[in-house]
Amino acid sequence: MIPLPPAFVERMQALLGAEADPFFASLQAAPVLGLRLNRLKLAALPAAWGLQPTPWCAEGFLVTAAGAAPGKHPLHAAGAFYLQDPSAMAAARLLDPQPGECVLDLAAAPGGKATHLAAALQGQGLLVANEIERSRTAALIENLERCGVTQALVTSEPVEKLAAVWPGRFDCVLVDAPCSGEGMFRKAEGARLEWQPQRVLGCALRQRGILAAAAELARPGGRLLYATCTFAPEENEATVAAFLRDRPDFALLPPPALPGLDAGRPDWIEPSLARGLPLERCVRIWPHRSVGEGHFFALLQRQGDAHPPPLPLPATRLARPAAALVAPFWRETLITPPPQQGWAQYGDWLHLLPVDPAFWQGLRPLRAGLRVGRLAAGHVQPHHALALALPGDQARRSLDLDVDGPELAAYRRGEPLAAAGPDGWVLITVGGLGLGWGKRVQGVIKNHYPKGWRV
C-alpha cells in the first residue's frame, strides 16, 4: 500500500495526539463493504452475506461474509439495494427529506446519495440530481433507473446557473463538495498520490464559492447539508464558519443523537473564526471510531418559513400519432390504467414527467422523469427503465425466474428463453422485482436485456 503523505501524517498527529496511532492503523485496514436496501423496492437478501446493521441508517448494512459479492447478484441488477459506504448513508439520514418535498443533490454522480434521497421521497415530490462533470452523468442516470426512481430530473449545470433559475426553490439541498479526499485514503490509493497541502487550501477556497451559491437555492426554512469526505479542518469547520459569518440568515442545526457520530472540532480552526458559533454541532465520522470511511457533515437551516408554489403538474405533450400508439401499448402490457397526464416525447423517446417543463425553463435536463419507451416502426418498444420501475404484479405477462436458476443466468447473458404463454412483451422478474423485458412469440421469449447490462 502507498504510504500516507508525510505532511498529512504530521498534521493529524498534531490534531489527534494519543488517538493518532489507532487512526493511522484504521487507514491501513481493508475498507468495509456497505449495502443499503432500496426503500422503493422490497426484497429478501441472502443470509450468507452476514449482514450487520449500521448505527445510523435503518436500511444500511455491513457485508461481513468473506467472499460475498453482492454487486454481481441479480437483485443488485434489479435495484433491490445499492452498494454504498456506511458513512455516506448518514447524509440522507441527516438531511431527512420528506415525501412531497423538492430536493436538490448538487454533485450527484454516481448516485449513492441521490438514490437514497429519492427513496426517502417515496415517489412523491421531486429530486433534481445535478452533476457538473458531464462524463459522470451516464452512471448517475443508470443508477437512478436501476433503483426505480421516476420523480427525478438529471441536470449538468454550474451551481450558479441553477441558483439563477431556482432561487429559494428547494426544501432540501445537498452539497457534497469536491474535497481533498483524505477520508478515502484506505479505499483509493489514488487519493494518497494526489494529496498535497496546496490541494487542501484550493479545495477550501472552491468549497466556499459553491456553498455560497448553493445557499441561494434553499427556501426560507429549508435545510442545506454540507458534506465532505476529508479530515482537514480548513475544508470542514473553517468553511462552515466562514459561511455562517457571511450568511447570518443560516443557522447550524444540532444533529440527531445517533451512535457513531462524533462532534465537530471548533478548536482546530482559528479562534476568531470559531468564536460564538456552535461548530460542535457539525458531524465527523472517524474510521477508527466507527464503521465506514471518514466523512464530515454540517446541517444548516435558512431562517424563515416561506414555501414556494406547488410544483406545476405536467401536461401531456404528445403528437397525435404517438398518442395513438401509447394507449394500446399500455393496455396490452400493463394492468394499471395509463396515466392521463405527464406524457412527453423527445425525439423517438417517450417519457412520463414528474413536473411540467415550465419548471426547468432555461435549463436542458439530460433526463426527465421515467423513460417509458421508444417509437419504432409503428409500435412502442418499452425501455429498460420501465421494467426496473415496475413490480411484477403490474405487468399483464411476467415471468419470475429463480434467483439461482439456469434460466436467470441465461437471461442475463442475453439468451432467449422457452416459455409457453400468450405473445407480447413479458416483464422478466426476480424476487418479484422487474429486471428487464423479453418479447414472446410462439413460446420463445426474445431477450431484450440491454447489452451493457449482460454478464
Side-chain angles (χ1 to χ4, degrees):
M1 182 177 288
I2 297 171
L4 293 169
F8 169 79
V9 172
E10 182 179 355
R11 185 237 288 163
M12 296 310 296
Q13 283 176 331
L15 293 177
L16 290 175
E19 273 196 85
D21 286 345
F23 168 73
F24 292 133
S26 73
L27 296 185
Q28 306 304 320
V32 299
L33 178 59
L35 178 154
R36 175 177 49 78
L37 287 174
N38 181 7
R39 290 169 59 189
L40 294 177
K41 305 185 181 188
L42 297 174
L45 300 183
W49 290 350
L51 300 182
Q52 295 182 2
T54 60
W56 45 75
C57 179
E59 59 269 27
F61 297 88
L62 294 176
V63 180
T64 64
K72 298 180 180 180
H73 199 275
L75 286 173
H76 180 264
F81 58 87
Y82 194 102
L83 297 179
Q84 186 179 24
D85 177 71
S87 297
M89 299 178 195
R93 178 68 179 85
L94 293 169
L95 193 54
D96 195 26
Q98 299 298 304
E101 289 190 325
C102 195
V103 180
L104 170 63
D105 185 347
L106 271 175
K113 297 181 179 71
T115 55
H116 199 179
L117 295 170
L121 292 177
Q122 288 292 293
Q124 304 172 51
L126 179 70
L127 169 70
V128 176
N130 185 71
E131 175 52 55
I132 187 65
E133 297 291 342
R134 184 65 69 94
S135 62
R136 305 184 71 205
T137 56
L140 171 62
I141 291 171
E142 180 178 300
N143 282 319
L144 289 168
E145 288 181 347
R146 184 173 59 82
C147 291
V149 177
T150 61
Q151 300 291 112
L153 302 178
V154 176
T155 58
S156 182
E157 302 285 0
V159 59
E160 293 82 4
K161 185 172 182 179
L162 297 180
V165 172
W166 289 318
R169 193 62 183 80
F170 293 91
D171 300 288
C172 300
V173 178
L174 172 60
V175 183
D176 195 2
C179 67
S180 58
E182 296 170 0
M184 298 294 108
F185 275 177
R186 72 173 175 184
K187 197 172 186 179
E189 289 193 342
R192 300 185 184 208
L193 288 173
E194 296 173 1
W195 187 92
Q196 52 183 321
Q198 294 84 353
R199 180 179 173 86
V200 171
L201 299 178
C203 286
L205 183 62
R206 184 182 180 192
Q207 290 153 358
R208 294 188 184 192
I210 293 173
L211 190 52
E216 300 300 330
L217 288 149
R219 68 168 177 84
R223 305 177 301 284
L224 186 155
L225 184 69
Y226 174 73
T228 74
C229 56
T230 189
F231 306 110
E234 297 91 339
E235 301 179 66
N236 294 335
E237 288 89 353
T239 294
V240 173
F243 171 78
L244 291 171
R245 297 289 182 199
D246 292 338
R247 294 297 301 259
D249 57 328
F250 277 82
L252 192 57
L253 296 179
L258 295 171
L261 304 184
D262 279 291
R265 296 300 300 262
D267 53 317
W268 286 355
I269 67 173
E270 180 66 36
S272 61
L273 188 58
R275 188 173 298 119
L277 297 176
L279 296 175
E280 67 281 352
R281 292 180 174 179
C282 297
V283 171
R284 282 181 173 268
I285 299 178
W286 295 95
H288 66 295
R289 291 187 176 186
S290 192
V291 297
E293 309 306 321
H295 272 67
F296 173 89
F297 300 101
L299 182 61
L300 302 150
Q301 184 172 42
R302 193 171 187 177
Q303 292 181 7
D305 189 20
H307 290 269
L311 293 170
L313 295 177
T316 290
R317 290 172 166 80
L318 278 186
R320 187 170 297 175
L325 295 175
V326 164
F329 160 77
W330 197 276
R331 287 195 305 268
E332 294 165 9
T333 308
L334 304 175
I335 63 174
T336 56
Q340 296 302 304
Q341 61 186 31
W343 289 97
Q345 182 176 348
Y346 300 100
D348 291 334
W349 293 108
L350 300 173
H351 286 236
L352 279 171
L353 303 181
V355 65
D356 194 82
F359 177 77
W360 67 73
Q361 188 172 2
L363 302 172
R364 297 185 64 182
L366 304 181
R367 182 60 58 88
L370 173 64
R371 179 165 280 186
V372 174
R374 182 170 63 91
L375 297 175
H379 68 277
V380 175
Q381 179 175 321
H383 190 262
H384 189 54
L386 179 61
L388 293 167
L390 293 173
D393 60 4
Q394 288 191 18
R396 291 200 178 275
R397 293 170 293 275
S398 64
L399 179 63
D400 195 61
L401 300 179
D402 182 72
V403 70
D404 296 315
E407 293 86 1
L408 179 57
Y411 177 75
R412 296 184 72 202
R413 290 194 297 267
E415 299 171 11
L417 301 176
D423 289 354
W425 290 107
V426 178
L427 179 65
I428 307 300
T429 65
V430 56
L433 301 179
L435 181 65
W437 293 105
K439 192 167 188 181
R440 183 161 45 207
V441 178
Q442 297 181 352
V444 176
I445 298 178
K446 182 181 178 181
N447 198 310
H448 283 262
Y449 198 55
K451 290 182 179 180
W453 292 60
R454 294 177 183 178
V455 295

